[in-house]
Amino acid sequence: MSTLTESRPLPVRVLKFGGSSVGDPGAICRVIDIVQTSATKNRVVVVVSALARVTNTLDAMLRDPAPDRAKELLNLYRRHVDSARELLSEAELETYRATLGNHLSNIIPALRRVNQHASTHLDAAHILAAGERFSVPLVAAALRTAGLNSRSVDATSLIRVDSVSESDVDHKKSYDQIRRWYKTLQPGEIPIVTGFIAGAPCGRTVTLGRGGSDFTASLLASALNANLLERWTDVDGLFSADPKESGKAEKYEVLRMEDAEILNHANKLGMHEHTITPLLASRTPLRVRSLLSQGADTLVIPITESSPRRLRAQ
Ligand code: ASP
Ligand code: MG
């Protein structure tokens, strides 16, 4: 007979991994361990960015039109397949190669229009969004190879913006879509969701602006009433300045969410500018941690949340 604790539904936790956290096979292995451990105590939803520097490469193609992109596309293909070779079973590798090939081919017409100076805002978004469409199936396949039940999810069907020219999220529609989608997941299934990407009313892809995966993760955490959003990166928390650039950067151990919202809007925390807003509304705590030193972190909690220890112990 199951006990009361056993039958209680697991809390939802959203884990977000930025580009540096999935930048090479070693980092993706650490992601797998973190997801696996978290999934023993939580229902986990994972948000992933493009592999480190991939969005910059795509952005450079937009800024500097050229008639032939074959070499750059081949480099992108190779970089992803090299990681896939180290992480995926043979069968998963075959499927991933085909998926990657499709996504790469899909951006060629838009790149051609860029070269002809005939591209639209939607072409640009479609090209920029490709990095997450390359990375998410890779991470999902790596998790499956490690024995977990995982699938990749394109966030265009979850996050809706009001217009094609602005990343103006329709919160109500997005939350409805996210909640409906979440109910379709199998027990124990771990979705890997594309960060940065949203759907326009016409059904086309738009982006949430650079660094937008943070915002994707906070929208999901808020819509699903997660007990915590964990943002994994390559520095161990939030700092008063960029710790990679300033020796004087001070680390925040605990930040009140209301203060974090102000600092973040002033672009002082290194996260997408809208990251805190949905969390503040739903009072969902945020923990910022490093893949490299897993003990240290910054905890961002709403004012009424009096005991950070409770979260630290989980
Ligand atoms: N890949 C996108 C970027 O580099 C989104 C993100 O990383 O959050 O801006
Ligand atoms: Mg990023």
Side-chain angles (χ1 to χ4, degrees), residues 49-50 55 132 196 210-213:
S49 297
T55 314
E132 275 69 11
F196 185 50
R210 294 302 306 268
S213 303

Side-chain angles (χ1 to χ4, degrees), residues 63-122:
R63 286 168 199 278
D64 183 18
D68 185 4
R69 293 293 186 190
K71 199 167 153 224
E72 286 134 302
L73 294 179
L74 187 62
N75 283 342
L76 283 172
Y77 180 83
R78 284 204 180 118
R79 171 149 180 227
H80 287 80
V81 168
D82 284 351
S83 284
R85 259 199 215 102
E86 289 202 32
L87 296 163
L88 308 190
S89 66
E90 253 174 59
E92 289 286 1
L93 178 60
E94 273 324 295
T95 313
Y96 178 66
R97 272 201 174 114
T99 306
L100 182 62
N102 278 340
H103 286 311
L104 278 161
S105 312
N106 278 342
I107 61 171
I108 292 174
L111 284 170
R112 211 170 280 139
R113 284 191 290 277
V114 169
N115 181 49
Q116 292 158 351
H117 300 281
S119 63
T120 62
H121 182 83
L122 288 170

Side-chain angles (χ1 to χ4, degrees), residues 30 232-237 251 288-297:
R30 287 195 286 278
W232 290 87
T233 177
D234 57 354
V235 288
D236 55 10
K251 188 172 141 193
V288 179
R289 314 180 67 176
S290 168
L291 216 64
L292 308 171
S293 55
Q294 293 191 21
D297 62 8

